Amino acid sequence: MNNRPKTTQLLAISGFTVTAMIWGFAFVVVKNSLDAIGPTYLLAFRFTIAALVLAVIFHKRLKNLSKPVLLEGAVLGGYLFIAYLLQTVGLQYTTAGKNAFLTTIYVVLVPFLHWILSRKRPGGRCVAAAFLAILGIGLLSLQGDLTMNRGDLLTLICGISFAFHMIYIDKYTEKHDPVTLTVLQLSVTAALSWIMAPFLDGAFPASVFRGDVVVSMLYLGLLSTMVGFLLQNVCQKYTSPSTASLVLSLESVFGVLFSVIFLKEYLTGRMVAGCVLIFGGILLAELDLPFLSFKKKERRML
């Protein structure tokens, strides 16, 4: 992966940046849409739109699917469903800006989850990054009585699922076509959403046919889901997961920026400090700079 031409790696990083911007604005779209449609139905519509359009465009790649590819697509889809369900439900109880920043905690979690899976201990830099992130989460989310609201807690758990999702994307795209895996994981997420929606959200929402909701679903389905995950899966094939997670974490910055501009959300000084600490932890965990290294030889986690 490190032998890829620099131009290819720069294109991959550019693709991740575009994805982060699309996902950042999606926090605003989802926040507004939740007033008209339940979170599980929202997921069902956005992932169905994305899966159907991608399947039509790349139908030739879906012929002769093997059992391993189907199983791996199902694993990715399962993690994706859990992560997005928790994130979307959490957004009902917290602000879009906080939801965006807390989601990106997956960047710090990836090395520790990889430690559990591969028994490769993270370096001192990763531990320090996790400490910064925990402090940041406390400033951003803990209330005066040191409790956390349910939205923030659900968003943090969703970050764990996103971390697993990123680890397995890196593993599976080494062996299989990333486009095929994208179609499969989106299809699985859509199917799980339709199965669970009646139990979690109740009756089918007639409001989905409103003009503004249709526009929101098309943005979430075509741009945020289809284009976003297609870019992520393709670009991650040409760069390291560490670089991918770092650039994708910019969605938190875009999420806060767009939330302040379009939703008129207000950030206190304490919340800004929390965001700075979380993002500082992300940079510390992922930027390979000599003055940030605590050991002469530090193992790369992925």
Side-chain angles (χ1 to χ4, degrees):
M1 194 175 291
N2 293 329
N3 295 325
R4 299 286 184 185
K6 289 186 177 180
T7 302
T8 302
Q9 295 184 38
L10 286 174
L11 285 173
I13 291 173
S14 299
F16 286 132
T17 304
V18 172
T19 301
M21 186 178 298
I22 292 171
W23 285 352
F25 188 67
F27 287 99
V28 174
V29 177
V30 171
K31 185 70 174 178
N32 283 329
S33 300
L34 288 173
D35 294 332
I37 184 173
T40 320
Y41 278 114
L42 186 150
L43 295 181
F45 281 110
R46 70 179 288 184
F47 280 96
T48 297
I49 292 170
L52 286 177
V53 175
L54 267 186
V56 170
I57 296 174
F58 298 105
H59 64 277
K60 292 183 179 179
R61 298 198 187 195
L62 301 178
K63 295 179 180 179
N64 304 317
L65 290 174
S66 63
K67 185 177 179 180
V69 177
L70 289 171
L71 289 175
E72 291 172 1
V75 170
L76 292 176
Y79 280 123
L80 203 59
F81 170 72
I82 294 171
Y84 266 96
L85 180 64
L86 294 175
Q87 182 190 63
T88 308
V89 173
L91 194 50
Q92 292 181 305
Y93 305 101
T94 189
T95 66
K98 289 172 69 177
N99 191 262
F101 245 99
L102 291 173
T103 295
T104 53
I105 196 65
Y106 65 78
V107 181
V108 179
L109 292 176
V110 165
F112 295 94
L113 292 176
H114 192 68
W115 180 16
I116 296 173
L117 296 174
S118 66
R119 300 186 183 279
K120 292 182 180 180
R121 181 178 300 178
R125 212 173 42 171
C126 291
V127 175
F131 180 72
L132 280 179
I134 291 171
L135 287 179
I137 290 169
L139 289 175
L140 184 62
S141 304
L142 291 181
Q143 302 171 25
D145 57 358
L146 300 182
T147 61
M148 183 178 291
N149 74 44
R150 70 178 72 178
D152 295 338
L153 181 60
L154 289 173
T155 306
L156 283 174
I157 299 173
C158 110
I160 297 175
S161 190
F162 273 129
F164 275 109
H165 181 254
M166 182 157 277
I167 288 172
Y168 282 106
I169 281 180
D170 183 67
K171 179 180 179 181
Y172 294 157
T173 53
E174 289 183 355
K175 303 179 294 181
H176 302 297
D177 176 30
V179 175
T180 301
L181 286 172
T182 302
V183 176
L184 290 175
Q185 67 176 313
L186 297 184
S187 300
V188 170
T189 305
L192 291 173
S193 299
W194 283 115
I195 291 171
M196 297 303 298
F199 299 100
L200 299 177
D201 293 350
F204 184 87
S207 57
V208 74
F209 298 110
R210 275 174 25 193
D212 59 330
V213 179
V214 170
V215 172
S216 295
M217 292 305 102
L218 288 176
Y219 178 88
L220 293 174
L222 297 178
L223 284 177
S224 183
T225 307
M226 185 186 78
V227 174
F229 281 104
L230 186 60
L231 280 174
Q232 181 191 9
N233 284 10
V234 172
C235 293
Q236 195 162 329
K237 192 177 182 70
Y238 301 102
T239 188
S240 71
S242 297
T243 300
S245 60
L246 174 61
V247 181
L248 286 175
S249 70
L250 290 174
E251 72 170 295
S252 64
V253 178
F254 288 120
V256 171
L257 178 63
F258 291 140
S259 298
V260 171
I261 294 174
F262 295 102
L263 298 179
K264 309 300 180 184
E265 290 185 357
Y266 177 74
L267 295 177
T268 65
R270 172 177 164 174
M271 292 170 66
V272 171
C275 291
V276 170
L277 284 174
I278 292 174
F279 198 63
I282 291 169
L283 293 177
L284 180 59
E286 298 302 336
L287 285 182
D288 192 13
L289 300 176
F291 64 86
L292 292 178
S293 298
F294 297 149
K295 295 183 179 180
K296 292 182 179 180
K297 293 182 179 179
E298 181 180 359
R299 295 179 180 176
R300 296 298 294 176
M301 295 312 304
L302 293 174

